[in-house]
Amino acid sequence: QLQLQESGPGLVKPSETLSLTCTVSGGSISSSSYYWGWIRQPPGKGLEWIGSIYYSGSTYYNPSLKSRVTISVDTSKNQFSLKLSSVTAADTAVYYCARLRLEQLAFDYWGQGTLVTVSS
Amino acid sequence: DIQMTQSPSSLSASVGDRVTITCQASQDISNYLNWYQQKPGKAPKLLIYDASNLETGVPSRFSGSGSGTDFTFTISSLQPEDIATYYCQQYDNLPPGITFGPGTKVDIK
């Protein structure tokens, strides 16, 4: 059974960089049938796609966040990572990593999510 | 950018009722539309892909239809475990891009 697990600091100071890692187990991140993605959800609000990456390293970002986002992949560790720079309180959210099925661009497996709070 | 709207934003229905949620895209998206269920404190779960295809393991009381700009998600007989927020999600292939709708919260009356 595929599992995804987010990890990283739960508290980030304003203007600093948020860094999270997603570890994939029970399957290979190098599968040609999937992208891997990050989605966030501010408390009490809806879902926002942040960006996605293919195992080859090709990345696709939400245009509204593109200038601050970097997603990378480490196939040797079966992990992919998110960096979001210059954070503000508006970036406080639950951050999810998920597998994105290539054919329908549907997120079919999700991590449990991790709350990141931006505060001094 | 493609914008997604959902209606209603919330609804309350009785167990056994038929529940319908609509999702509208700001431009033609063919059938590039997926539906998710999110229960409180949990990650979303994929229910429907490509507008009308039921994900493996999802109960048959859930269904989806539509194409172009107008889409419908239906629960044929609402069950207590269906209490959740439901999101539509559109996708573009070239380049890959994803937008979620604002969500519809479903409660039991």
Side-chain angles (χ1 to χ4, degrees), chain A residues 17-60:
Chain A
T17 296
L18 179 160
S19 296
L20 295 173
T21 295
C22 182
T23 300
V24 179
S25 58
S28 174
I29 204 169
S30 298
S31 170
S32 60
S33 299
Y34 305 102
Y35 292 106
W36 303 89
W38 289 96
I39 305 98
R40 70 180 183 178
Q41 185 171 37
K45 297 189 177 181
L47 302 165
E48 180 180 35
W49 172 66
I50 299 171
S52 298
I53 191 165
Y54 198 52
Y55 75 95
S56 63
S58 297
T59 52
Y60 309 95

Side-chain angles (χ1 to χ4, degrees), chain B residues 14-71:
Chain B
S14 300
V15 173
D17 281 355
R18 183 181 185 87
V19 169
T20 299
I21 298 168
T22 63
C23 179
Q24 189 167 54
S26 58
Q27 63 190 70
D28 190 334
I29 59 170
S30 184
N31 68 332
Y32 298 161
L33 194 285
N34 305 318
W35 290 96
Y36 298 83
Q37 174 193 67
Q38 186 180 32
K39 296 183 178 181
K42 301 293 187 182
K45 175 186 176 182
L46 177 65
L47 300 180
I48 302 284
Y49 64 90
D50 284 350
S52 60
N53 294 285
L54 195 66
E55 179 71 355
T56 302
V58 173
S60 59
R61 65 179 180 273
F62 297 103
S63 64
S65 65
S67 66
T69 60
D70 296 304
F71 301 86

